[in-house]
Amino acid sequence: MTATVEEAGEALLQRPPAEVRYAGELAALRAADEDPRPPGWQLSLRAARRFIVGDEPAGISRKFVGNVSLVERALVTLATNRGLMLVGEPGTAKSLLSELIAAAVSGSSALTVQGGAATTEDQIKYSWNYALLVSEGPSTRSLVPAPMLRGMAEGRIVRFEEITRCPLEVQDCLLSLLSDRVITIPELDGPNGLVFARQGFNVIATANTRDRGVNEMSAALKRRFNFETVLPIADFETELGLVEAEAAALLRQSGVEPPPRRDVLEVLVGTFRELRGTAARGERMSTVMSTAEAVSVAHAVGVRAWFLRGEPGSAADVVAGLAGTAAKDSPEDLARLRRFLEQEAPRRPGPQWQALYEARHLLAG
């Protein structure tokens, strides 16, 4: 059976958005959804929760491994027209959660502002096509809407990633948007100069706790949001299962035939949890040893072993991939990692832990 143009195009995408990856599940949920929906929402709260946390009997996969009550509170916040702020350590799936919520509520997660030191107000609200502006003057034709204006006009969720990386004056342009729910365009006359938010519009922002103090949000802006903290995965088996599933998907996408070995992943996840400081004798790293980083290393292990040796990967490949993740900019982190490999790894039972210890010489630096 030949693939359609849409399927072929999706296969070429490195990372399709949630509304594309899970289009079938969203369509099934919308078709069966008989619960009341908040105005402007494409799914009810119950259906949106099922989309995010999964419903195995109904064929809905689990996409966010975290506290279900966190998901429920996040959805309720957005239904009350309060902005939602997701905070936590890097790699705790804040962006994934915001993407899934936007896909469930609005059917699209594409209206996204990526915060940073160079982010400007124009990139948040609107700018101009200057060729048309010069030739025709200000008009709706020369207006270039940014995510916030589009979200308000279309009644959709807007995602604001890494909001605390933005300068304070840029952050504060959100104050009137979240309070008055209107964007004023002084260059346009009449009704075109005001864009009022339609039902369904809201904002999900994310911020890393490691960036706290870079550009701390003002008290006025904080009052426009409900804050929810996304915590690292506490259970070893849950984290192992997530790393295994995500790494397997990435390896298939990279053309690697064998799935990752579970015993190797047990060593990898155990090492990350120790270095993250969640275990009793763990020596905490300054680098964030997140689940997302563990998935990245597992992916690299499989790619390295398959394309260089035609194998699924071993603990020695884990050592080769750890330095770039665990010791990004701190010699002390590299020393901590070396001490772990020399002192802790040989105490652990199992051949893969022994292989990890024996491959310690592969650690760069």
Side-chain angles (χ1 to χ4, degrees), residues 54-335:
D55 184 351
E56 189 173 348
I60 306 300
S61 61
R62 185 179 187 182
K63 304 166 189 67
F64 175 73
V65 179
N67 195 321
V68 176
S69 65
L70 165 65
V71 176
E72 294 175 347
R73 292 195 305 271
L75 292 170
V76 169
T77 291
L78 295 172
T80 61
N81 287 332
R82 292 275 291 179
L84 173 65
M85 174 67 69
L86 300 175
V87 300
E89 289 281 316
T92 49
K94 300 182 297 299
S95 295
L96 173 63
L97 179 57
S98 74
E99 179 187 358
L100 293 171
I101 292 175
V105 171
S106 300
S108 172
S109 60
L111 296 180
T112 305
V113 178
Q114 181 58 57
T119 303
T120 64
E121 188 173 338
D122 291 353
Q123 295 170 326
I124 297 172
K125 296 164 67 176
Y126 64 89
S127 59
W128 299 95
N129 180 322
Y130 286 101
L132 288 174
L133 185 66
V134 170
S135 63
E136 301 179 359
S139 67
T140 54
R141 210 164 82 90
S142 58
L143 184 71
V144 180
M148 202 64 67
L149 189 147
R150 286 189 56 195
M152 295 180 75
E154 299 170 11
R156 295 181 182 273
I157 297 290
V158 179
R159 302 166 55 212
F160 201 131
E161 296 290 320
E162 308 288 357
I163 189 172
T164 51
R165 303 298 301 175
C166 296
L168 294 177
E169 60 271 17
V170 174
Q171 293 181 30
D172 285 345
C173 79
L174 296 177
L175 289 172
S176 62
L177 305 186
L178 294 173
S179 295
D180 303 328
R181 302 282 162 157
V182 61
I183 288 181
T184 302
I185 308 174
E187 296 88 347
L188 300 180
D189 296 326
N192 290 331
L194 294 174
V195 178
F196 293 94
R198 298 174 64 88
Q199 293 283 15
F201 165 74
N202 214 327
V203 176
I204 305 175
T206 64
N208 287 325
T209 51
R210 300 249 173 160
D211 290 335
R212 184 167 291 166
V214 175
N215 290 303
E216 185 69 27
M217 294 171 62
S218 66
L221 185 55
K222 286 180 179 179
R223 287 198 301 272
R224 270 72 173 179
F225 288 95
N226 281 357
F227 280 63
E228 294 289 346
T229 301
V230 184
L231 299 173
I233 300 173
D235 180 66
F236 174 82
E237 290 297 331
T238 301
E239 184 172 14
L240 176 62
L242 177 62
V243 171
E244 184 175 28
E246 292 295 320
L250 289 171
L251 288 170
R252 286 194 301 270
Q253 189 177 19
S254 298
V256 177
E257 295 181 9
R261 291 179 53 175
R262 189 172 180 87
D263 56 349
V264 173
L265 292 183
E266 288 176 350
V267 169
L268 171 61
V269 174
T271 299
F272 266 70
R273 292 175 68 84
E274 287 282 354
L275 296 174
R276 193 188 301 154
T278 57
R281 292 182 295 179
E283 190 173 7
R284 187 175 177 84
M285 308 278 283
S286 63
T287 299
V288 177
M289 303 296 291
S290 66
T291 304
E293 293 281 7
V295 171
S296 178
V297 173
H299 184 201
V301 165
V303 168
R304 173 190 176 94
W306 178 249
F307 288 114
L308 292 180
R309 305 191 307 274
E311 300 172 1
S314 66
D317 296 303
V318 172
V319 175
L322 273 174
T325 297
K328 295 182 185 296
D329 56 9
S330 172
E332 294 180 2
D333 279 347
L334 187 60

